Amino acid sequence: MLSPLKDRLMLKLLLVPYQRCSQHTMATLSDMKEVFRRADAVCFDVDSTVIKEEGIDELAKFCGVGDAVTEMTRKAMGGSMSFKTALIERLSIIRCSREQVNKLLTDHPPQLTPGISELVDRLHQRGIKVYLISGGFLCIVEHVATQLNIPLHHVYANRLKFYFNGEYAGFDESQPTAEGGGKGKVISMLKEQNGFENVVMIGDGATDLEACPPANAFIGFGGNVIRPQVKEKSLWYVTSFRELLKELENI
């Protein structure tokens, strides 16, 4: 049974569901940690969060156009270029074939960030749903989900399109993750469809930060790369998933 203090805290969290994402609100760090411990679902960004690298940058390097694409990724993740514009421009440079994508996954599979496997396992053990919401590519993100035992229907990412001969044919621009604000749209949909009251978003980039609200809390992650704009605006910022594992022990 909850103590009177806990009762008041939970009432406060329910009454101000969208005041937990910014350091400029009256939410406290302890409030956000309580939301995390009591989350119905936790949504992770993938590139530079769940995995060490940026998938699109790795694909660009593999296709021999790494330098041009890496700079666009930096601008997109820092928020100085719209996500969709950056995605279209980067893919127009890469123009990868289906064979190149498959070979990338075989020869250079994504490297999981230390601690993520243990964290996802712990969340699953506690009955918390785990989702991957990425502006990256579905073929790569599904590979990561399989490694983490996350159901593939819990994956939201951009779908590359190929012609019958395997050549690049564009990407599915109808996916919510193809646009700025897309991660928030996915979270809104998940809350509506599943009745989630507390959803936490974890990520390194500007597109992750802007997903809160509708997420009830945002945890900035700097274990692979620190983006100053995101760190500055994050009430809760961690550099290791073990910090979150430790928090789950404080029940």
Side-chain angles (χ1 to χ4, degrees), residues 109-223:
Q111 300 298 303
L112 295 177
T113 300
I116 186 61
S117 295
E118 295 86 345
L119 178 57
V120 170
D121 285 346
R122 185 72 56 83
L123 291 170
H124 281 156
Q125 290 168 9
R126 291 176 53 80
I128 298 171
K129 305 296 184 185
V130 177
Y131 294 85
L132 300 181
I133 307 178
S134 173
F137 306 129
L138 189 65
C139 50
I140 296 175
V141 178
E142 286 187 336
H143 180 87
V144 174
T146 299
Q147 289 181 280
L148 295 172
N149 295 313
I150 296 172
L152 295 186
H153 66 276
H154 283 198
V155 173
Y156 295 86
N158 292 314
R159 188 184 302 274
L160 294 174
K161 297 193 292 188
F162 301 98
Y163 291 112
F164 69 93
N165 63 357
E167 292 183 357
Y168 175 71
F171 68 99
D172 184 355
E173 297 189 33
S174 69
Q175 297 295 315
T177 49
E179 306 215 25
K183 293 180 180 180
K185 292 177 184 177
V186 172
I187 291 173
S188 291
M189 179 194 69
L190 292 175
K191 294 178 82 170
E192 182 177 349
Q193 291 181 350
N194 299 282
F196 296 148
E197 292 185 359
N198 284 317
V199 176
V200 177
M201 181 72 203
I202 301 174
D204 69 286
T207 59
D208 309 311
L209 176 65
E210 71 180 6
C212 184
N216 301 87
F218 171 72
I219 303 172
F221 183 75

Side-chain angles (χ1 to χ4, degrees), residues 76-125:
M77 294 302 99
S80 61
M81 177 185 290
S82 79
F83 181 80
K84 189 168 188 178
T85 297
L87 183 60
I88 291 172
E89 291 189 12
R90 287 179 292 178
L91 283 173
S92 70
I93 294 172
I94 299 172
R95 300 193 65 81
C96 54
S97 67
R98 188 195 306 273
E99 181 182 358
Q100 286 174 312
V101 173
N102 291 338
K103 189 167 176 57
L104 172 68
L105 288 172
T106 300
D107 295 354
H108 302 283
Q111 300 298 303
L112 295 177
T113 300
I116 186 61
S117 295
E118 295 86 345
L119 178 57
V120 170
D121 285 346
R122 185 72 56 83
L123 291 170
H124 281 156
Q125 290 168 9

Side-chain angles (χ1 to χ4, degrees), residues 5-63:
L5 177 59
K6 289 285 188 180
D7 285 335
R8 289 197 298 274
L9 175 58
M10 290 309 296
L11 178 60
K12 176 182 178 184
L13 295 178
L14 292 172
L15 287 174
V16 288
Y18 299 129
Q19 295 184 351
R20 294 186 280 265
C21 304
S22 169
Q23 62 181 352
H24 303 299
T25 69
M26 296 183 66
T28 67
L29 181 58
S30 62
D31 289 344
M32 293 189 68
K33 290 183 175 182
E34 184 72 13
V35 173
F36 175 62
R37 290 193 295 267
R38 295 182 176 275
D40 299 306
V42 174
C43 302
F44 289 91
D45 171 50
V46 177
D47 295 334
S48 294
T49 299
V50 168
I51 63 175
K52 294 180 180 180
E53 57 273 283
E54 288 285 332
I56 194 167
D57 291 351
E58 295 303 305
L59 182 58
K61 292 176 190 175
F62 194 76
C63 296

